[in-house]
Amino acid sequence: SAPAYWSLEPYENRAGYTGAIRILAEAFYPVARRAHELGWQLGIHTMGDGAVAMVVNELEKILAELPREGHRHYLHHVAVKPPQTTIETMARLGIGVASQPSFTVGLGSFAVESLAVKREATMNPTKSLLDAGVWMSWGSDGAPYGPRVTLWTGVTRKGWDDRVYGPEEAVDREEALRLHTWAPAYQTFNEHRA
């Protein structure tokens, strides 16, 4: 089945539709708070900027109630760039992103159908998040094409249709290698082994 972004703006071709909300904030909060309280690292699936904004808002509450340095909580995907205020909150709180630039290939046709043109350019953002101080790692999310497609897509920003989507979100080769090697080790508290 096609993915469903929880979007802060209606889908491009579906008036009034903003995607699927899989977990409501009031259900997410107590589970995330307890996991954080137990000292766990949270890796939360966030498909769409609506999901990112909700999770970051709830984590901000949790971290205010139960401050903990070095938690390294992170969001999976962030396939649709969230508002700048959300990005700044992520940076301030040390919330990272486990990103898959290759989604521009693997899910790109769905994004083009659902996102307005101005938002297509920032799908699977990297540079803007890094520039804001958000730590990131790259991976393939279990896709069958391995790291080369992730590296190629993150550097070229070429998508499923060979178009370039948001070249301002690209990074250079050295940064791409760091994001796909050292950064996942950091994400899993294994940077001393990288």
Side-chain angles (χ1 to χ4, degrees):
S1 65
Y5 300 143
W6 172 8
S7 179
L8 293 174
E9 296 180 20
Y11 277 35
E12 178 74 356
N13 299 312
R14 293 178 71 178
Y17 181 70
T18 56
I21 300 172
R22 303 285 189 211
I23 300 174
L24 297 172
E26 48 273 20
F28 173 80
Y29 169 82
V31 174
R33 187 183 194 281
R34 181 63 177 142
H36 174 78
E37 185 178 32
L38 291 170
W40 295 1
Q41 178 191 29
L42 302 174
I44 303 148
H45 187 277
T46 53
M47 205 60 179
D49 54 345
V52 173
M54 182 279 281
V55 168
V56 171
N57 288 342
E58 298 307 305
L59 287 178
E60 184 174 29
K61 290 181 209 170
I62 292 165
L63 289 165
E65 295 165 2
L66 301 168
R68 189 172 100 216
E69 291 295 319
H71 54 77
R72 296 191 196 175
H73 298 326
Y74 63 95
L75 310 182
H76 282 286
H77 309 316
V78 186
V80 179
K81 184 180 175 183
Q84 190 62 31
T85 54
T86 300
I87 293 170
E88 290 166 4
T89 301
M90 292 168 66
R92 178 172 50 82
L93 298 176
I95 299 169
V97 175
S99 179
Q100 297 77 32
S102 56
F103 277 13
T104 309
V105 172
L107 298 180
S109 61
F110 177 77
V112 168
E113 288 179 22
S114 58
L115 300 176
V117 172
K118 66 181 172 69
R119 299 179 81 204
E120 288 174 19
T122 58
M123 65 173 147
N124 312 309
T126 295
K127 185 82 164 67
S128 60
L129 297 178
L130 291 173
D131 287 349
V134 175
W135 65 267
M136 294 186 76
S137 68
W138 279 0
S140 65
D141 194 45
Y145 31 69
R148 285 182 281 183
V149 175
T150 299
L151 294 167
W152 175 78
T153 308
V155 171
T156 67
R157 296 287 297 176
K158 282 192 176 183
W160 61 283
D161 53 2
D162 209 35
R163 284 179 42 207
V164 174
Y165 290 90
E168 65 279 359
E169 288 292 347
V171 296
D172 64 27
R173 290 180 207 173
E174 184 177 346
E175 182 69 9
L177 285 171
R178 187 191 72 79
L179 286 165
H180 215 324
T181 55
W182 180 87
Y186 175 85
Q187 175 189 318
T188 59
F189 296 90
N190 286 299
E191 66 271 23
H192 62 284
R193 301 173 67 188

